[in-house]
Structure formats: C-alpha cells, structure tokens
Amino acid sequence: MLQYNSSAITPTANFIDNLHTGIFQEILPGIFIIKGAKNDRGFDQAYMILNQKKELILIDAVEEAYQKAIANLLSNGFIIRAILITGKDVLNDCYIDPDSLSKSLGNAEVYISTDISPQGVETKDLTDEDSLLKKFELEGYKVPKKEGQIILYCDRHNGIIFTGNSAMGSDYGGDEFIFTRGREEDKEIALAVEEFWKGFIKEFEFLFPRQGKLGIQIDDRTRVTLLKRLSSGESGLK
C-alpha cells in the first residue's frame, strides 16, 4: 500500500490516472499521492508527507477508499501525527465523524479551519503557527469567504501548494491542462477570492489539487500566469 519512487521519475498524469485505488505512491521524495474511488467528479486524491522517522501527516484522506492503505501504514509501524482537512466540502466527504476518524488513525490530531470545526470535537486550527506544522514545513492560508477553505504551502522541493478544492486541475481523461477555482455567484465572495490569489506571494514549483491533474515543475513565468488567471477564475498551463 506504499510505493516508493526509487527511480526518481516524476509520475505523469497518465500514470496517476491508472494508479490502483488506495495505494500511496511517492511523487516527490517524502511526498505521496493516493487515488480515491471513482465518483461523479472522476476521482479525488489525497496526500501524505513523510518524515524520516516513520512519522507522517495526511492531507484530505477522509474517504473510505483510503482506509485500507492507512491501516496498512499503522500495522507497519508508521505514526500518523495528524490529518489536515482543507475545507467544508472535504469535511462533508468524510466517511465517519472527525472524532472517529482520528481514533481510526491512531488518535491523530485533526487540523481544520475554526470556521467549520465540528462542535464537540477537539481540533486544531490549520492556520496557526503550530510546532507540528512547522516540523513538516507547512503553513495554512485561509481563503476568504469560502467555507473554511485552506491553502497549504509546504516549503519542500522549492515549494508545494496543496489546494484542496480551492483550485482544481483539468480532467485526467482529456488533453486540456488548466486550473480553475470555480465561479462564485456572489460578487463580494468573488472579489475576496480574487484578492487572495492576487496577493499570494509564496514561490512554488508544484501545485497539487484534490481533483484533477497536478502542476509539476512550474517555472517563474508560468507561476505568475497561473496566479493571475486563478485570480480571474482559471489558469491555463501549456
């Protein structure tokens, strides 16, 4: 249930599309992707960041399709320190309540936006400067007015953004390669989200969404174009 990238080859979109459901595949050293079950969106994907001492955190791994691979990690001595939930739509897809999910992960901490933290469940703020998040070189950025959506920035491999559903890649089944943020019907919300992307100054080479193709080895010029177009609703990468 855990496959290392011993050849140091960046998996292609076709490779990820054809991955077996429920296998953690290394895509960068210490960074893994796991493909979920087929749904009306195609399939969702979650991520894992691994430290050298078998400690790890999970990002958006809330669906039942991931649980066999996660149980395999636990049975092989890996320690799941936390699960990070990047938005309300991810929370709604959780196959059990967050407290039960935490217990199934060996009592892992649950990190989530305080805007959507379930009542009666002990959680941590995903945007806090937290010692565990710092250990994994992660920072959380709240997307304004978007139901607890958080962008995660990881300071590894020259910068990785885990977008959750805040930016979605194009479908694996086609040739198109764009990122979209969706369209907000409310003008006030749309303007707030536009300003968020306009003001995002972190440099990154990788953009990993919850849905759709990944952005790999993004150069400076493409990054500027990507952020500019996300601020207006979509970003095309050639």
Side-chain angles (χ1 to χ4, degrees):
M1 298 300 178
L2 185 64
Q3 294 185 355
Y4 290 93
N5 187 1
S6 56
S7 300
I9 298 172
T10 302
T12 63
N14 185 61
F15 179 89
I16 294 171
D17 190 22
N18 290 317
L19 270 181
H20 292 294
T21 299
I23 292 177
F24 283 102
Q25 170 68 50
E26 192 174 34
I27 49 176
L28 292 170
I31 311 294
F32 294 74
I33 188 172
I34 186 168
K35 179 180 175 180
K38 187 175 181 180
N39 56 42
D40 57 2
R41 301 181 292 261
F43 61 86
D44 296 324
Q45 51 211 16
Y47 301 92
M48 177 179 82
I49 303 177
L50 179 65
N51 271 354
Q52 293 180 353
K53 297 181 180 179
K54 281 199 166 184
E55 291 183 323
L56 62 93
I57 59 171
L58 299 171
I59 300 173
D60 291 341
V62 300
E63 298 175 16
E64 190 169 11
Y66 306 138
Q67 299 314 303
K68 186 176 180 180
I70 291 171
N72 182 270
L73 290 174
L74 292 170
S75 66
N76 281 280
F78 289 90
I79 301 169
I80 302 173
R81 297 295 306 277
I83 182 164
L84 316 184
I85 297 175
T86 61
K88 186 175 180 180
D89 43 6
V90 180
L91 180 63
N92 289 341
D93 285 341
C94 190
Y95 82 106
I96 50 178
D97 66 89
D99 189 49
S100 298
L101 180 65
S102 168
K103 291 175 182 176
S104 75
L105 303 178
N107 294 316
E109 300 278 7
V110 177
Y111 284 75
I112 194 170
S113 169
T114 55
D115 293 347
I116 59 171
S117 180
Q119 292 186 351
V121 179
E122 186 175 347
T123 63
K124 292 194 172 185
D125 187 350
L126 191 45
T127 61
D128 274 354
E129 291 188 7
D130 178 275
S131 59
L132 180 62
L133 296 180
K134 286 182 178 179
K135 183 175 183 179
F136 285 85
E137 301 179 65
L138 282 166
E139 302 172 61
Y141 293 86
K142 182 178 178 180
V143 181
K145 301 182 182 294
K146 289 292 287 185
E147 297 185 303
Q149 283 188 2
I150 303 292
I151 296 290
L152 291 170
Y153 176 80
C154 181
D155 197 27
R156 300 184 181 184
H157 305 295
N158 297 318
I160 306 167
I161 297 181
F162 299 95
T163 69
N165 283 346
S166 297
M168 295 163 283
S170 52
D171 184 78
Y172 279 101
D175 295 330
E176 191 175 44
F177 195 67
I178 64 170
F179 287 96
T180 62
R181 71 158 204 260
R183 297 290 183 179
E184 296 83 13
E185 294 182 4
D186 186 289
K187 185 176 180 180
E188 181 181 352
I189 294 175
L191 288 173
V193 177
E194 288 172 11
E195 290 303 312
F196 170 82
W197 285 114
K198 286 178 182 177
F200 195 87
I201 61 173
K202 287 287 189 178
E203 295 186 357
F204 57 91
E205 286 191 9
F206 301 91
L207 192 151
F208 294 161
R210 186 178 180 226
Q211 299 171 26
K213 296 177 184 176
L214 281 56
I216 302 290
Q217 296 176 329
I218 298 167
D219 60 27
D220 292 344
R221 183 177 180 179
T222 303
R223 182 173 61 251
V224 170
T225 301
L226 188 156
L227 292 172
K228 182 178 180 180
R229 292 185 177 175
L230 275 176
S231 71
S232 64
E234 69 178 14
S235 176
L237 296 180
K238 302 300 183 183

